[in-house]
Amino acid sequence: MEFNNLAFSHKQLMTISFSAIMLFTAQIASAQTPVTPVVPDWALPASATHKQVAPPSDFHRPARTENKPIGIFEGQSDVGAAVVPGSSSYDPATKQYTIVSAGYNVWYVRDEFRYLWKKVSGDVSLAADMRYPDSTGFGDRKAVLVIRQSLDDDSKEAVTAIHGAGMVHLAWRPEKGLRVKDFEYRITSRGGLPGGKSPDDGVIAHAQRVGIEKHGDEITLWLSVFGEPLHQFGAPIKLHFDGPFYVGIGFCSHLPDKTDTAILSNVVFANKAGEVK
């Protein structure tokens, strides 16, 4: 039996081997080359030259979820699956949750944020101290307390937040897929806080602690500005959740492809109303 058709010269074998090595090397290099996240124009943060707008109604990403306990919470998720994955850790000695997250927003008709959660039914009291280690972060970043019907990015929800620039809000998405509504509070003092150039300059007070309470279908915002006991702030909203639903803490950098960090501590959670403190 002859194998003339399979016969290769030494030079041909070297050429084939070299080509195979080059192809394998190119495949390895391609696998190791970072892929630049694709950020839709609507997700870019607002600036002097750009206005952020609501995403298309059919744009969704499923949550990336880790079903393992962290502190008092049952699991954590990247709701909306921001293009850069988030992370979280808990220090039992300091009772601090450190949350790292990208995400274009927690707003409009869908959200992107890192969420530490537990599933409950009935009434809820939740509160936390909030701070940002980097004081230069984006002004609209949000450390949040959230009640959500699901982990879908367009879920019905109620949200309290302290923004990077100091604004506080109680926001809600009335039903799945609808646009968020809110009450916004900017607590400004003339002469009562340091930092103004004159007694007539308004200086924004950055709240230290925020809480949210669900009592039946009534949701209320609770606030401590200077370390005083939490007190109800502003009008309640009405929003119904079917149990079980999700309750927890989270953070969004408000930058679609860049992470930032928020630290939430002294978290109080109770599966009943009247325990915000």
Side-chain angles (χ1 to χ4, degrees), residues 10-85:
H10 179 68
K11 183 176 181 180
Q12 287 174 319
L13 286 172
M14 289 185 65
T15 300
I16 293 171
S17 298
F18 179 75
S19 298
I21 291 171
M22 291 300 291
L23 177 61
F24 181 66
T25 302
Q27 289 174 335
I28 292 177
S30 176
Q32 293 178 341
T33 301
V35 177
T36 302
V38 176
V39 176
D41 184 71
W42 52 259
L44 296 173
S47 68
T49 58
H50 182 269
K51 180 180 179 180
Q52 189 180 79
V53 297
S57 60
D58 61 349
F59 186 96
H60 299 287
R61 294 194 191 104
R64 295 186 292 258
T65 296
E66 300 173 33
N67 289 299
K68 61 180 182 179
I70 175 169
I72 65 172
F73 300 103
E74 297 173 1
Q76 55 183 311
S77 303
D78 282 331
V79 171
V83 294
V84 179

Side-chain angles (χ1 to χ4, degrees), residues 51 87 112 115 128 169 179 182 222 267:
K51 180 180 179 180
S87 63
E112 291 180 9
Y115 187 36
H169 76 227
R179 185 169 176 142
D182 80 343
W222 295 70
V267 177

Side-chain angles (χ1 to χ4, degrees), residues 129 187 207-209 223-231 233 277:
D129 295 346
I187 306 168
Q208 298 180 14
R209 186 169 179 81
L223 203 61
S224 171
V225 180
F226 302 112
E228 75 280 7
L230 280 169
H231 46 91
F233 201 88
K277 57 185 179 180

